[in-house]
Amino acid sequence: MMKLGCVHVFALMLCVSATDDFDWTKNDKTPFYYGTFPTGFSWGAGSSAYQTEGAWNVDGKGMSIWDAFTHKKGKIFQNETGDSSCDGFYKFKDDINLMKEMKLNHYRFSLSWPRILPTGLKGEYINEKGMKYYNDLINMLLDNKITPIVTLYHWDLPQVLQEKYGGWQNVSMVNHFNDFANLCFERFGNRVKYWITFNNPWSIAVEGYETGKHAPGLRMKGTGAYTAAHNIIKAHAKVWHTYDMQWRSKQKGLVGISLTADWGEPVDISNQRDIEAADRYIQFYLGWFATPIFNGDYPQIMKDYIGRKSGQQGLGASRLPVFSVQEKSYIKGTCDFLGLGHFTTRYVTHKNYPSSIGDSYFADRDLAELVDPRWPDPGSEWLYSVPWGFRRLLNFVKAQYANPMIYVTENGVSEKILCTDLCDDWRMQYFKDYTNELLKAIKDGVNVKGYTAWSLLDNFEWDEGYSERFGLYYVDFKSKNKPRYPKASVQYYKCIISSNGFPNQREVESWKRTARETCSSSNQLLAADPLIGHMEMVTEIVVPTVCTLCIILSAVFLMFLLRRRF
Ligand code: NOJ
């Protein structure tokens, strides 16, 4: 008995030290670190189906909630849609050549659920043409020694499931998603070894069901996001168990989830209230999903805050749903690796939101977000470049979740709409500084195995349409063939990859110069693009029309001559 007690205390101590050693008060902003990543570190780039494929109604594909959402007026910047986007569906062979050119080790992409199951349900109809597309893509990646990292759900739910069941508000989605995932394991799992169940569930829940900025565009303030997240977490766990029980021993792959989180830094690191507010910011963002998956339940702070606020609002129960004891143990530990998407940082301080202003996920957190006006913000209005925040976030994950295996699944920066300059200095700087902070984090002991630049190509940036370009490659969306042009950052990223890091100051400093040389010629090609488009129009429309007219005129003239003869 005595012995057991000691073991318990020891286990508790281990637990506490594994989750509690993040030091909020120590923010080392150390100088640039010259050194290399561990051998075998994987470098890649990412995309997602709706943002890139186009071909929205081709070869039997069903409608997704994003097809329905973008086809409504007033939802997306300039009413743009992903109907054709980058035409990735047709051009994937060219795109793999671009990846080869950069010497990528992996490519992260997503499967469109309605391309494979047009009505969302496995029992109804499997679209073999959709299957063929993904089979060809996977095979060609492997032929070129590029590892596929496959996301099962990057936001494009089959529209039928939204209409019939209310999408992620409905717990039946757990089984439908599991059927879809199981089919993908069956068909692709002999070749795909890295699976991501959900991409950025925070966004699915908050932007899809709370603010309504994203499909399906619902505004169920204070409840919709929590319900959606609850079902998503259950669906993730179920898919992990399916893989574990039915496929793992044969296929020997890994199943993870990709969570996106900004870093939240206390405004004043010597002020306990600011530290607590920053912690809440992260717990409501990352912890909301990561804590159930790693530890079995929602973060205590979320339960406390949402519970208390629900009480003040006169509700009988918390707006945050509750996992049963069985569910907790079923969900706990369902992660072979953590995918982490990260773009930016905020300063955070405490701010009281009185319950009289109404329910909302944002008010539940009782905090205010601030930015430093000196931080560079080259593109999207929310995206400030704060590289040290990345190292802080990675160390926080290490401390909170007992140092899990991590793949960085998204990191990158956009540019403003009118910028057609392919010499993207700010992106080179962003990649340089963020990957350097990643390297420092690995030296700190964080277990990161790979890095994925977001994104391979400029693509459809959700409610922002085509106005925010994250790509390493510029896509000319106005041109019929959607040509791709390398930005300078392609060359720069290639240098990081081929050196597996940053060998020495002299060499690293030469990279930008070399990259700039390549982009000036690409700039000229891009400038000539309207001319090429014009010439294409001449060959495709004007020449055939003139020829047809000539033939008709000659025929008329011939008839006229023949008539006169007889
Ligand atoms: C995260 C999303 O997963 C991705 O689809 C999006 O393009 C980037 N953030 C940039 O906003």
Side-chain angles (χ1 to χ4, degrees), residues 138-162:
I138 292 165
N139 291 342
M140 187 165 169
L141 285 169
L142 292 172
D143 288 346
N144 287 288
K145 304 203 167 28
I146 300 170
T147 305
I149 298 189
V150 178
T151 309
L152 290 162
Y153 188 84
H154 201 126
W155 307 356
D156 44 356
L157 187 78
Q159 172 67 6
V160 181
L161 299 184
Q162 189 66 45

PDB file of all heavy atoms in Angstrom, residues 138-162:
ATOM      1  N   ILE A 138      -1.012  10.601 -55.786  1.00  0.00           N
ATOM      2  CA  ILE A 138      -0.169   9.916 -54.792  1.00  0.00           C
ATOM      3  C   ILE A 138       0.943   9.128 -55.492  1.00  0.00           C
ATOM      4  O   ILE A 138       2.117   9.199 -55.115  1.00  0.00           O
ATOM      5  CB  ILE A 138      -1.043   8.983 -53.908  1.00  0.00           C
ATOM      6  CG1 ILE A 138      -1.974   9.822 -53.031  1.00  0.00           C
ATOM      7  CG2 ILE A 138      -0.177   8.058 -53.056  1.00  0.00           C
ATOM      8  CD1 ILE A 138      -3.119   9.039 -52.377  1.00  0.00           C
ATOM      9  N   ASN A 139       0.567   8.408 -56.563  1.00  0.00           N
ATOM     10  CA  ASN A 139       1.579   7.601 -57.259  1.00  0.00           C
ATOM     11  C   ASN A 139       2.680   8.460 -57.842  1.00  0.00           C
ATOM     12  O   ASN A 139       3.856   8.132 -57.753  1.00  0.00           O
ATOM     13  CB  ASN A 139       0.930   6.763 -58.367  1.00  0.00           C
ATOM     14  CG  ASN A 139       0.056   5.671 -57.771  1.00  0.00           C
ATOM     15  OD1 ASN A 139       0.194   5.328 -56.593  1.00  0.00           O
ATOM     16  ND2 ASN A 139      -0.845   5.125 -58.570  1.00  0.00           N
ATOM     17  N   MET A 140       2.263   9.587 -58.424  1.00  0.00           N
ATOM     18  CA  MET A 140       3.300  10.416 -59.038  1.00  0.00           C
ATOM     19  C   MET A 140       4.200  11.054 -57.973  1.00  0.00           C
ATOM     20  O   MET A 140       5.402  11.206 -58.193  1.00  0.00           O
ATOM     21  CB  MET A 140       2.668  11.481 -59.924  1.00  0.00           C
ATOM     22  CG  MET A 140       3.748  12.205 -60.687  1.00  0.00           C
ATOM     23  SD  MET A 140       3.135  13.172 -62.039  1.00  0.00           S
ATOM     24  CE  MET A 140       4.617  14.100 -62.443  1.00  0.00           C
ATOM     25  N   LEU A 141       3.632  11.399 -56.836  1.00  0.00           N
ATOM     26  CA  LEU A 141       4.478  11.939 -55.754  1.00  0.00           C
ATOM     27  C   LEU A 141       5.506  10.889 -55.357  1.00  0.00           C
ATOM     28  O   LEU A 141       6.707  11.178 -55.250  1.00  0.00           O
ATOM     29  CB  LEU A 141       3.609  12.310 -54.531  1.00  0.00           C
ATOM     30  CG  LEU A 141       2.783  13.579 -54.655  1.00  0.00           C
ATOM     31  CD1 LEU A 141       1.778  13.684 -53.502  1.00  0.00           C
ATOM     32  CD2 LEU A 141       3.680  14.827 -54.655  1.00  0.00           C
ATOM     33  N   LEU A 142       5.031   9.670 -55.153  1.00  0.00           N
ATOM     34  CA  LEU A 142       5.946   8.615 -54.705  1.00  0.00           C
ATOM     35  C   LEU A 142       7.002   8.303 -55.769  1.00  0.00           C
ATOM     36  O   LEU A 142       8.171   8.104 -55.441  1.00  0.00           O
ATOM     37  CB  LEU A 142       5.157   7.357 -54.322  1.00  0.00           C
ATOM     38  CG  LEU A 142       4.294   7.531 -53.059  1.00  0.00           C
ATOM     39  CD1 LEU A 142       3.397   6.328 -52.851  1.00  0.00           C
ATOM     40  CD2 LEU A 142       5.149   7.777 -51.813  1.00  0.00           C
ATOM     41  N   ASP A 143       6.573   8.317 -57.034  1.00  0.00           N
ATOM     42  CA  ASP A 143       7.559   8.087 -58.112  1.00  0.00           C
ATOM     43  C   ASP A 143       8.672   9.127 -58.049  1.00  0.00           C
ATOM     44  O   ASP A 143       9.786   8.878 -58.482  1.00  0.00           O
ATOM     45  CB  ASP A 143       6.889   8.207 -59.493  1.00  0.00           C
ATOM     46  CG  ASP A 143       5.990   7.015 -59.765  1.00  0.00           C
ATOM     47  OD1 ASP A 143       6.093   6.017 -59.026  1.00  0.00           O
ATOM     48  OD2 ASP A 143       5.172   7.094 -60.709  1.00  0.00           O
ATOM     49  N   ASN A 144       8.332  10.308 -57.540  1.00  0.00           N
ATOM     50  CA  ASN A 144       9.329  11.376 -57.458  1.00  0.00           C
ATOM     51  C   ASN A 144       9.931  11.516 -56.062  1.00  0.00           C
ATOM     52  O   ASN A 144      10.526  12.537 -55.736  1.00  0.00           O
ATOM     53  CB  ASN A 144       8.699  12.701 -57.908  1.00  0.00           C
ATOM     54  CG  ASN A 144       8.491  12.703 -59.408  1.00  0.00           C
ATOM     55  OD1 ASN A 144       9.441  12.804 -60.158  1.00  0.00           O
ATOM     56  ND2 ASN A 144       7.247  12.535 -59.832  1.00  0.00           N
ATOM     57  N   LYS A 145       9.716  10.518 -55.262  1.00  0.00           N
ATOM     58  CA  LYS A 145      10.289  10.456 -53.898  1.00  0.00           C
ATOM     59  C   LYS A 145       9.819  11.619 -53.014  1.00  0.00           C
ATOM     60  O   LYS A 145      10.571  12.176 -52.226  1.00  0.00           O
ATOM     61  CB  LYS A 145      11.815  10.424 -53.936  1.00  0.00           C
ATOM     62  CG  LYS A 145      12.345   9.287 -54.760  1.00  0.00           C
ATOM     63  CD  LYS A 145      13.748   8.892 -54.398  1.00  0.00           C
ATOM     64  CE  LYS A 145      14.159   7.570 -54.998  1.00  0.00           C
ATOM     65  NZ  LYS A 145      13.519   7.187 -56.262  1.00  0.00           N
ATOM     66  N   ILE A 146       8.574  12.008 -53.202  1.00  0.00           N
ATOM     67  CA  ILE A 146       7.978  13.039 -52.344  1.00  0.00           C
ATOM     68  C   ILE A 146       6.928  12.348 -51.485  1.00  0.00           C
ATOM     69  O   ILE A 146       6.007  11.713 -52.017  1.00  0.00           O
ATOM     70  CB  ILE A 146       7.349  14.169 -53.190  1.00  0.00           C
ATOM     71  CG1 ILE A 146       8.432  14.832 -54.057  1.00  0.00           C
ATOM     72  CG2 ILE A 146       6.675  15.211 -52.291  1.00  0.00           C
ATOM     73  CD1 ILE A 146       7.904  15.785 -55.099  1.00  0.00           C
ATOM     74  N   THR A 147       7.069  12.463 -50.171  1.00  0.00           N
ATOM     75  CA  THR A 147       6.148  11.773 -49.262  1.00  0.00           C
ATOM     76  C   THR A 147       4.815  12.516 -49.192  1.00  0.00           C
ATOM     77  O   THR A 147       4.798  13.714 -48.878  1.00  0.00           O
ATOM     78  CB  THR A 147       6.760  11.719 -47.839  1.00  0.00           C
ATOM     79  OG1 THR A 147       8.037  11.107 -47.941  1.00  0.00           O
ATOM     80  CG2 THR A 147       5.888  10.958 -46.870  1.00  0.00           C
ATOM     81  N   PRO A 148       3.697  11.827 -49.455  1.00  0.00           N
ATOM     82  CA  PRO A 148       2.402  12.513 -49.289  1.00  0.00           C
ATOM     83  C   PRO A 148       1.992  12.592 -47.817  1.00  0.00           C
ATOM     84  O   PRO A 148       2.051  11.584 -47.109  1.00  0.00           O
ATOM     85  CB  PRO A 148       1.423  11.633 -50.069  1.00  0.00           C
ATOM     86  CG  PRO A 148       2.108  10.317 -50.273  1.00  0.00           C
ATOM     87  CD  PRO A 148       3.568  10.463 -49.985  1.00  0.00           C
ATOM     88  N   ILE A 149       1.613  13.775 -47.373  1.00  0.00           N
ATOM     89  CA  ILE A 149       1.004  13.929 -46.044  1.00  0.00           C
ATOM     90  C   ILE A 149      -0.433  14.357 -46.329  1.00  0.00           C
ATOM     91  O   ILE A 149      -0.667  15.418 -46.924  1.00  0.00           O
ATOM     92  CB  ILE A 149       1.736  14.981 -45.184  1.00  0.00           C
ATOM     93  CG1 ILE A 149       3.189  14.526 -44.954  1.00  0.00           C
ATOM     94  CG2 ILE A 149       1.005  15.209 -43.866  1.00  0.00           C
ATOM     95  CD1 ILE A 149       3.969  15.358 -43.946  1.00  0.00           C
ATOM     96  N   VAL A 150      -1.378  13.500 -45.972  1.00  0.00           N
ATOM     97  CA  VAL A 150      -2.741  13.680 -46.479  1.00  0.00           C
ATOM     98  C   VAL A 150      -3.717  14.108 -45.382  1.00  0.00           C
ATOM     99  O   VAL A 150      -3.848  13.438 -44.354  1.00  0.00           O
ATOM    100  CB  VAL A 150      -3.234  12.381 -47.159  1.00  0.00           C
ATOM    101  CG1 VAL A 150      -4.664  12.532 -47.642  1.00  0.00           C
ATOM    102  CG2 VAL A 150      -2.325  12.023 -48.329  1.00  0.00           C
ATOM    103  N   THR A 151      -4.376  15.226 -45.627  1.00  0.00           N
ATOM    104  CA  THR A 151      -5.411  15.707 -44.716  1.00  0.00           C
ATOM    105  C   THR A 151      -6.761  15.192 -45.199  1.00  0.00           C
ATOM    106  O   THR A 151      -7.097  15.331 -46.378  1.00  0.00           O
ATOM    107  CB  THR A 151      -5.451  17.251 -44.703  1.00  0.00           C
ATOM    108  OG1 THR A 151      -4.129  17.728 -44.481  1.00  0.00           O
ATOM    109  CG2 THR A 151      -6.368  17.783 -43.628  1.00  0.00           C
ATOM    110  N   LEU A 152      -7.525  14.619 -44.291  1.00  0.00           N
ATOM    111  CA  LEU A 152      -8.835  14.085 -44.681  1.00  0.00           C
ATOM    112  C   LEU A 152      -9.899  15.178 -44.752  1.00  0.00           C
ATOM    113  O   LEU A 152     -10.865  15.052 -45.504  1.00  0.00           O
ATOM    114  CB  LEU A 152      -9.265  13.012 -43.681  1.00  0.00           C
ATOM    115  CG  LEU A 152      -8.447  11.717 -43.750  1.00  0.00           C
ATOM    116  CD1 LEU A 152      -8.631  10.909 -42.475  1.00  0.00           C
ATOM    117  CD2 LEU A 152      -8.872  10.898 -44.960  1.00  0.00           C
ATOM    118  N   TYR A 153      -9.739  16.206 -43.937  1.00  0.00           N
ATOM    119  CA  TYR A 153     -10.784  17.233 -43.922  1.00  0.00           C
ATOM    120  C   TYR A 153     -10.171  18.630 -43.807  1.00  0.00           C
ATOM    121  O   TYR A 153      -9.702  19.027 -42.752  1.00  0.00           O
ATOM    122  CB  TYR A 153     -11.739  17.000 -42.748  1.00  0.00           C
ATOM    123  CG  TYR A 153     -12.949  17.916 -42.792  1.00  0.00           C
ATOM    124  CD1 TYR A 153     -14.062  17.588 -43.548  1.00  0.00           C
ATOM    125  CD2 TYR A 153     -12.969  19.120 -42.087  1.00  0.00           C
ATOM    126  CE1 TYR A 153     -15.166  18.430 -43.608  1.00  0.00           C
ATOM    127  CE2 TYR A 153     -14.056  19.973 -42.145  1.00  0.00           C
ATOM    128  CZ  TYR A 153     -15.158  19.618 -42.906  1.00  0.00           C
ATOM    129  OH  TYR A 153     -16.242  20.451 -42.969  1.00  0.00           O
ATOM    130  N   HIS A 154     -10.144  19.321 -44.951  1.00  0.00           N
ATOM    131  CA  HIS A 154      -9.710  20.724 -44.935  1.00  0.00           C
ATOM    132  C   HIS A 154     -10.919  21.574 -45.338  1.00  0.00           C
ATOM    133  O   HIS A 154     -10.928  22.237 -46.367  1.00  0.00           O
ATOM    134  CB  HIS A 154      -8.508  20.926 -45.864  1.00  0.00           C
ATOM    135  CG  HIS A 154      -7.688  22.153 -45.567  1.00  0.00           C
ATOM    136  ND1 HIS A 154      -6.321  22.119 -45.352  1.00  0.00           N
ATOM    137  CD2 HIS A 154      -8.037  23.457 -45.442  1.00  0.00           C
ATOM    138  CE1 HIS A 154      -5.873  23.355 -45.127  1.00  0.00           C
ATOM    139  NE2 HIS A 154      -6.897  24.188 -45.182  1.00  0.00           N
ATOM    140  N   TRP A 155     -11.993  21.403 -44.574  1.00  0.00           N
ATOM    141  CA  TRP A 155     -13.146  22.299 -44.544  1.00  0.00           C
ATOM    142  C   TRP A 155     -14.244  22.080 -45.580  1.00  0.00           C
ATOM    143  O   TRP A 155     -15.275  22.757 -45.530  1.00  0.00           O
ATOM    144  CB  TRP A 155     -12.694  23.769 -44.609  1.00  0.00           C
ATOM    145  CG  TRP A 155     -11.682  24.147 -43.576  1.00  0.00           C
ATOM    146  CD1 TRP A 155     -11.190  23.359 -42.564  1.00  0.00           C
ATOM    147  CD2 TRP A 155     -11.022  25.408 -43.444  1.00  0.00           C
ATOM    148  NE1 TRP A 155     -10.271  24.065 -41.814  1.00  0.00           N
ATOM    149  CE2 TRP A 155     -10.151  25.319 -42.336  1.00  0.00           C
ATOM    150  CE3 TRP A 155     -11.097  26.612 -44.159  1.00  0.00           C
ATOM    151  CZ2 TRP A 155      -9.356  26.386 -41.924  1.00  0.00           C
ATOM    152  CZ3 TRP A 155     -10.306  27.670 -43.746  1.00  0.00           C
ATOM    153  CH2 TRP A 155      -9.438  27.561 -42.639  1.00  0.00           C
ATOM    154  N   ASP A 156     -14.042  21.176 -46.568  1.00  0.00           N
ATOM    155  CA  ASP A 156     -15.048  21.082 -47.634  1.00  0.00           C
ATOM    156  C   ASP A 156     -16.018  19.920 -47.406  1.00  0.00           C
ATOM    157  O   ASP A 156     -15.993  18.922 -48.116  1.00  0.00           O
ATOM    158  CB  ASP A 156     -14.386  21.008 -49.024  1.00  0.00           C
ATOM    159  CG  ASP A 156     -13.195  20.053 -49.067  1.00  0.00           C
ATOM    160  OD1 ASP A 156     -12.820  19.504 -48.002  1.00  0.00           O
ATOM    161  OD2 ASP A 156     -12.640  19.828 -50.149  1.00  0.00           O
ATOM    162  N   LEU A 157     -16.883  20.098 -46.426  1.00  0.00           N
ATOM    163  CA  LEU A 157     -17.908  19.086 -46.108  1.00  0.00           C
ATOM    164  C   LEU A 157     -18.874  18.928 -47.288  1.00  0.00           C
ATOM    165  O   LEU A 157     -19.267  19.920 -47.899  1.00  0.00           O
ATOM    166  CB  LEU A 157     -18.700  19.563 -44.882  1.00  0.00           C
ATOM    167  CG  LEU A 157     -19.708  18.570 -44.308  1.00  0.00           C
ATOM    168  CD1 LEU A 157     -18.991  17.515 -43.477  1.00  0.00           C
ATOM    169  CD2 LEU A 157     -20.748  19.281 -43.437  1.00  0.00           C
ATOM    170  N   PRO A 158     -19.285  17.688 -47.604  1.00  0.00           N
ATOM    171  CA  PRO A 158     -20.324  17.536 -48.637  1.00  0.00           C
ATOM    172  C   PRO A 158     -21.583  18.336 -48.263  1.00  0.00           C
ATOM    173  O   PRO A 158     -22.074  18.214 -47.129  1.00  0.00           O
ATOM    174  CB  PRO A 158     -20.591  16.029 -48.631  1.00  0.00           C
ATOM    175  CG  PRO A 158     -19.325  15.422 -48.126  1.00  0.00           C
ATOM    176  CD  PRO A 158     -18.791  16.397 -47.117  1.00  0.00           C
ATOM    177  N   GLN A 159     -22.077  19.109 -49.198  1.00  0.00           N
ATOM    178  CA  GLN A 159     -23.220  19.993 -48.941  1.00  0.00           C
ATOM    179  C   GLN A 159     -24.441  19.208 -48.462  1.00  0.00           C
ATOM    180  O   GLN A 159     -25.203  19.679 -47.619  1.00  0.00           O
ATOM    181  CB  GLN A 159     -23.519  20.804 -50.215  1.00  0.00           C
ATOM    182  CG  GLN A 159     -24.785  21.629 -50.200  1.00  0.00           C
ATOM    183  CD  GLN A 159     -24.736  22.796 -49.208  1.00  0.00           C
ATOM    184  OE1 GLN A 159     -23.695  23.069 -48.598  1.00  0.00           O
ATOM    185  NE2 GLN A 159     -25.855  23.469 -49.033  1.00  0.00           N
ATOM    186  N   VAL A 160     -24.598  17.989 -49.005  1.00  0.00           N
ATOM    187  CA  VAL A 160     -25.761  17.170 -48.617  1.00  0.00           C
ATOM    188  C   VAL A 160     -25.764  16.953 -47.095  1.00  0.00           C
ATOM    189  O   VAL A 160     -26.824  17.001 -46.451  1.00  0.00           O
ATOM    190  CB  VAL A 160     -25.711  15.789 -49.326  1.00  0.00           C
ATOM    191  CG1 VAL A 160     -26.916  14.957 -48.945  1.00  0.00           C
ATOM    192  CG2 VAL A 160     -25.623  15.959 -50.831  1.00  0.00           C
ATOM    193  N   LEU A 161     -24.595  16.738 -46.524  1.00  0.00           N
ATOM    194  CA  LEU A 161     -24.536  16.474 -45.081  1.00  0.00           C
ATOM    195  C   LEU A 161     -24.879  17.726 -44.269  1.00  0.00           C
ATOM    196  O   LEU A 161     -25.396  17.636 -43.160  1.00  0.00           O
ATOM    197  CB  LEU A 161     -23.150  15.957 -44.671  1.00  0.00           C
ATOM    198  CG  LEU A 161     -22.716  14.637 -45.321  1.00  0.00           C
ATOM    199  CD1 LEU A 161     -21.374  14.179 -44.769  1.00  0.00           C
ATOM    200  CD2 LEU A 161     -23.770  13.554 -45.079  1.00  0.00           C
ATOM    201  N   GLN A 162     -24.592  18.882 -44.842  1.00  0.00           N
ATOM    202  CA  GLN A 162     -24.964  20.134 -44.170  1.00  0.00           C
ATOM    203  C   GLN A 162     -26.488  20.277 -44.202  1.00  0.00           C
ATOM    204  O   GLN A 162     -27.113  20.598 -43.198  1.00  0.00           O
ATOM    205  CB  GLN A 162     -24.292  21.322 -44.877  1.00  0.00           C
ATOM    206  CG  GLN A 162     -24.426  22.636 -44.135  1.00  0.00           C
ATOM    207  CD  GLN A 162     -23.669  22.630 -42.808  1.00  0.00           C
ATOM    208  OE1 GLN A 162     -22.541  22.186 -42.740  1.00  0.00           O
ATOM    209  NE2 GLN A 162     -24.309  23.099 -41.752  1.00  0.00           N
TER     210      GLN A 162
END
